[in-house]
Amino acid sequence: MSDCLFCGIAAGEIPADVIYRDEDFVAFNDISPTAPTHALVIPIKHYENIVEIAEADAELAGRFISTAAVVAKQEDIHEGFRLVTNTGDEGGQSVHHVHLHVLGGRQLTWPAG
Ligand code: 5GP
Ligand code: ZN
């Protein structure tokens, strides 16, 4: 999708602080971090949300989760972390290219905060 912000980051056309890349996924630091570690993991191929990627390619969706775990380990948030994928308007999704937030480096609260 040519007008998608995260497609632009995946293609290297829009600058981002990239911390991980392989042939299917990219991870970069969130521009407005809410924790000391706040990375976003995205598939390079555009899917709108977690339902769309899961229905289109369950194997890729599985590796999406695995990649987020690799990124968390790489970022050394060994005291604990959280993976979040906001989905749809009521889920608080603001960028409509599926992404996993990897949050850590402070005590996270629940309900989410
Ligand atoms: P959502 O609200 O869709 O769950 O998460 C979107 C995330 O993307 C937000 O945490 C927001 O700060 C981040 N974000 C929005 N625009 C940019 C950008 O241009 N660069 C980076 N690195 N992050 C962005
Ligand atoms: Zn996209």
Side-chain angles (χ1 to χ4, degrees), residues 1-16 21:
M1 280 184 57
S2 57
D3 60 346
C4 172
L5 173 65
F6 286 179
C7 282
I9 288 176
E13 293 163 356
I14 295 171
R21 178 183 283 276

Side-chain angles (χ1 to χ4, degrees), residues 5-6 9 16 28-32 38 40 86 92-95 99 101:
L5 173 65
F6 286 179
I9 288 176
F28 50 94
N29 288 320
D30 197 291
I31 204 166
S32 303
H38 187 172
L40 301 172
N86 297 325
Q93 184 176 6
S94 61
V95 177
H99 49 282
H101 296 256

Side-chain angles (χ1 to χ4, degrees), residues 47-85:
Y47 296 96
E48 173 146 348
N49 59 41
I50 194 72
V51 174
E52 200 176 279
I53 191 173
E55 290 182 351
D57 191 337
E59 189 269 339
L60 187 72
R63 288 193 291 112
F64 185 31
I65 306 288
S66 299
T67 301
V70 166
V71 169
K73 192 170 179 186
Q74 174 189 294
E75 295 305 293
D76 211 19
I77 38 181
H78 50 273
E79 300 294 336
F81 63 92
R82 182 173 292 161
L83 302 181
V84 175
T85 184

